[in-house]
Amino acid sequence: MICFYQTYAGSSSVFDLNRMASDWIGSLVSVHCGATLGVYQGEVSSVDQTSQTISLRHPFHNGVKCTVPEVTFSAMDIKDLKILEIRKSSAEVPRQNGPDSNSTLTPHGGRKDKGGGALVNSAPVTVPNKTEPKLQEGGVSPVPHYSKSYGERHMDVAGQSKGFRRRHNSWSSSCKGPNQATPKKNGLKNGGHMKNKDDECFGDGIDDVLDEDFDFEGNLALFDKAAVFSQIDSSERRGNGARSRGTPGEQTPSRYRHDENILEAKPVVYRQITVPQNGTKEYSTDSGLVVPSISFELHKRLLAAAESHGLSLERRLEMTGVCASQMALTLLGGPNRLTPKNVHQRPTVALLCGPHVQGAQGISCGRHLANHEVEVILFLPNFVKMLEAITSELALFGKTGGKLVSNVKDLPETPVDLVINCLDSHENGFLRDQPWYKAAADWANQNRAPVLSIDPPVSGQAHAVEAKWSLSLGLPLPLSEGAGRVYLCDIGIPRQVFQEVGIKYHSPFGCKFVIPLHSE
């Protein structure tokens, strides 16, 4: 059975369909029948208590007028019912106990004055079923959207003739037109007018303010830009005409980079490294710091001094291998290439090493690359006797699963991703005449892969393999143009060790261990 719920003055009453059947005839209602049947609106023509059905004449379905003159709904199909307007003015029910004894409670929940006055405090009434109506997207009930097309046209006329008053927080407030003001309710309290609490909370008082257009031109005319900028300029200048920032004789730049500190305590000294004998070449970092090159003899003295203080050859090999592998991983693509989802396209690196310290540095680099899921093919010629450093590095490399070859024919015939060249030695120049050296250099030049040289020799010696990048250790040597782009890595030599060999040193690395160098 459909029940009619309405609340008045804090007490609730329930009226069933049999009791209210005669009172609904002629009323405008909105019937929500769920997502399948949609929403119907129209005038109640009949209510059958026996079959529990309601019939509407002149119906509208989802805001569109139906082709049939009348539709009938069963109580089982109705999800929600809202009374939009009660047109039967003579329908009254017995008076309920309320705060006002001179008024009669009507079926729609309002009060009608006994003298025949207009309805007051009326609101749309919902007739819920067992299940709550489902909301559309955004949490808005579909009933107001469909009822506006029909109910608004009829409520405007009926509200003007019968004095029908609408609540601000009801469905009728949402159907109010853009230029339609809601009438405010007046009451008496302490001899004066009292504003209804609903009007204070949900009122449309803001509409009066929004109706007035904002004068943009008038407000813009109140802003005197010339006077404001003149005041700013005068506040930044001193009496002698100098800028307030910095010293009077200092030229202050007008713009700064995003990574530049504007609050400088003292001017930056770009030559923070000085050597006892100026080399034949100088480099600079990205920030402009000058990094001079040193001779091979001074480089040997620097490494010997560091080894005497505990920076052994094994430590240098490990530090060089870490820095060189980090640079190689970046050249191979870094995080864009070395991901767990890209196991079928692992990069391949060919490592060409000779039987010397530079070769040991390359083997250390290959071990770290293999630990980072890079396929490493290490070329090292067979010798009866090798350096102890090479022997220990080969033992560690053999645990990584990398491939070790001693013949150039075993190197890949197809291009690899990167070639790391460690064939050259600073002291043993006669190795270049060996057949294995020439064969390895020819293979590298014909493979068409980019070449990275680790600790290449000085410019006095020709480069058998043209490199695209070169990595120097500690301080750069004066390299030739065949070395390509020069990078510098920090192998952990302390500042006082530099001072022992006559080098005034301030680290140019900043937060990195490998930095690029630019030729002056």
Side-chain angles (χ1 to χ4, degrees):
M1 178 179 294
I2 300 179
C3 292
F4 178 82
Y5 295 87
Q6 64 102 23
T7 303
Y8 176 76
S11 64
S12 61
S13 303
V14 179
F15 300 89
D16 58 21
L17 181 61
N18 298 329
R19 182 178 179 181
M20 299 301 300
S22 60
D23 298 328
W24 287 4
I25 305 299
S27 301
L28 295 178
V29 297
S30 175
V31 181
H32 181 28
C33 299
T36 304
L37 298 179
V39 178
Y40 288 85
Q41 297 161 341
E43 181 181 350
V44 178
S45 59
S46 64
V47 178
D48 192 343
Q49 298 93 336
T50 304
S51 60
Q52 289 289 298
T53 58
I54 298 177
S55 299
L56 303 182
R57 70 166 60 97
H58 307 300
F60 280 74
H61 180 222
N62 294 338
V64 180
K65 188 174 182 180
C66 299
T67 56
V68 295
E70 188 177 77
V71 292
T72 303
F73 304 94
S74 176
M76 300 299 294
D77 298 331
I78 299 177
K79 305 296 183 183
D80 188 12
L81 190 147
K82 290 183 181 293
I83 299 178
L84 306 180
E85 180 184 349
I86 295 181
R87 290 185 173 180
K88 189 172 183 180
S89 60
S90 63
E92 297 182 354
V93 297
R95 183 176 60 187
Q96 305 291 333
N97 294 330
D100 189 0
S101 60
N102 295 326
S103 61
T104 302
L105 185 65
T106 59
H108 62 281
R111 285 180 292 133
K112 182 176 181 182
D113 204 356
K114 285 186 176 182
L119 295 173
V120 294
N121 197 24
S122 61
V125 182
T126 303
V127 181
N129 201 2
K130 295 181 181 180
T131 58
E132 293 295 331
K134 296 182 179 180
L135 300 181
Q136 292 181 346
E137 295 182 4
V140 182
S141 176
V143 177
H145 174 73
Y146 297 122
S147 61
K148 182 176 180 180
S149 61
Y150 181 88
E152 181 68 21
R153 295 194 298 269
H154 294 274
M155 289 180 64
D156 291 341
V157 178
Q160 294 176 3
S161 59
K162 299 182 180 181
F164 188 76
R165 306 296 298 274
R166 295 177 295 180
R167 292 170 59 95
H168 291 287
N169 58 343
S170 64
W171 170 87
S172 58
S173 177
S174 64
C175 294
K176 180 170 61 67
N179 297 325
Q180 179 181 358
T182 301
K184 298 183 179 179
K185 305 173 185 179
N186 297 326
L188 294 178
K189 183 178 180 181
N190 298 330
H193 294 281
M194 180 186 69
K195 190 175 183 180
N196 189 277
K197 293 183 178 180
D198 290 341
D199 290 333
E200 295 178 359
C201 183
F202 305 101
D204 297 331
I206 193 65
D207 294 341
D208 299 336
V209 180
L210 296 179
D211 290 340
E212 300 178 1
D213 294 335
F214 183 77
D215 189 2
F216 289 95
E217 296 183 358
N219 283 269
L220 183 60
L222 298 177
F223 177 64
D224 191 354
K225 293 186 290 185
V228 172
F229 284 114
S230 177
Q231 182 180 1
I232 294 175
D233 187 68
S234 61
S235 62
E236 290 185 350
R237 293 183 176 277
R238 298 180 179 179
N240 57 359
R243 304 291 289 185
S244 61
R245 181 166 57 256
T247 58
E250 181 183 358
Q251 183 179 1
T252 305
S254 58
R255 295 183 180 180
Y256 296 89
R257 298 191 316 182
H258 67 281
D259 58 349
E260 188 175 359
N261 185 12
I262 64 174
L263 301 177
E264 297 177 355
K266 55 183 179 180
V268 178
V269 178
Y270 291 99
R271 187 175 292 274
Q272 299 180 357
I273 302 176
T274 57
V275 295
Q277 297 178 355
N278 293 331
T280 58
K281 201 168 190 179
E282 285 187 344
Y283 301 91
S284 63
T285 63
D286 289 338
S287 58
L289 298 178
V290 178
V291 180
S293 63
I294 59 177
S295 61
F296 175 67
E297 289 74 14
L298 183 58
H299 194 268
K300 286 177 56 179
R301 288 169 49 197
L302 177 63
L303 297 180
E307 189 170 353
S308 64
H309 287 283
L311 188 62
S312 60
L313 175 61
E314 290 77 11
R315 287 188 173 185
R316 295 203 328 261
L317 292 178
E318 188 68 16
M319 196 66 187
T320 303
V322 170
C323 293
S325 62
Q326 185 178 14
M327 180 179 176
L329 290 173
T330 304
L331 297 176
L332 291 173
N336 298 325
R337 180 79 180 276
L338 300 169
T339 60
K341 297 181 180 180
N342 198 23
V343 293
H344 63 289
Q345 291 182 344
R346 295 172 55 185
T348 303
V349 174
L351 193 59
L352 308 180
C353 298
H356 37 66
V357 176
Q358 284 71 29
Q361 293 172 353
I363 300 173
S364 176
C365 174
R367 169 167 55 88
H368 289 289
L369 289 177
N371 290 338
H372 287 266
E373 303 299 328
V374 177
E375 293 185 3
V376 179
I377 303 174
L378 173 61
F379 168 78
L380 181 66
N382 287 327
F383 286 90
V384 178
K385 186 177 180 180
M386 292 188 181
L387 295 177
E388 182 180 356
I390 294 181
T391 304
S392 59
E393 290 295 334
L394 278 178
L396 289 174
F397 178 80
K399 304 298 181 181
T400 62
K403 185 178 180 181
L404 175 63
V405 298
S406 58
N407 195 333
V408 178
K409 296 181 180 180
D410 297 329
L411 291 173
E413 297 180 358
T414 58
V416 296
D417 294 277
L418 181 66
V419 174
I420 299 180
N421 178 25
C422 299
L423 295 173
D424 294 307
S425 173
H426 296 286
E427 298 177 346
N428 298 330
F430 66 91
L431 293 177
R432 300 185 179 184
D433 299 330
Q434 300 296 323
W436 60 267
Y437 183 96
K438 295 181 179 180
D442 293 340
W443 177 89
N445 292 328
Q446 295 175 3
N447 189 261
R448 296 180 299 174
V451 179
L452 168 63
S453 294
I454 299 178
D455 195 14
V458 295
S459 58
Q461 303 177 11
H463 295 276
V465 179
E466 294 292 331
K468 188 174 183 179
W469 308 281
S470 292
L471 183 64
S472 296
L473 312 181
L475 285 177
L477 299 175
L479 302 179
S480 62
E481 296 297 332
R485 180 80 179 272
V486 181
Y487 284 77
L488 185 67
C489 74
D490 184 7
I491 58 176
I493 301 178
R495 180 187 298 180
Q496 293 184 2
V497 176
F498 284 97
Q499 294 178 356
E500 286 188 7
V501 295
I503 300 176
K504 181 183 177 181
Y505 180 82
H506 289 273
S507 175
F509 292 97
C511 62
K512 300 179 180 180
F513 282 87
V514 179
I515 58 174
L517 296 181
H518 309 277
S519 300
E520 291 293 336

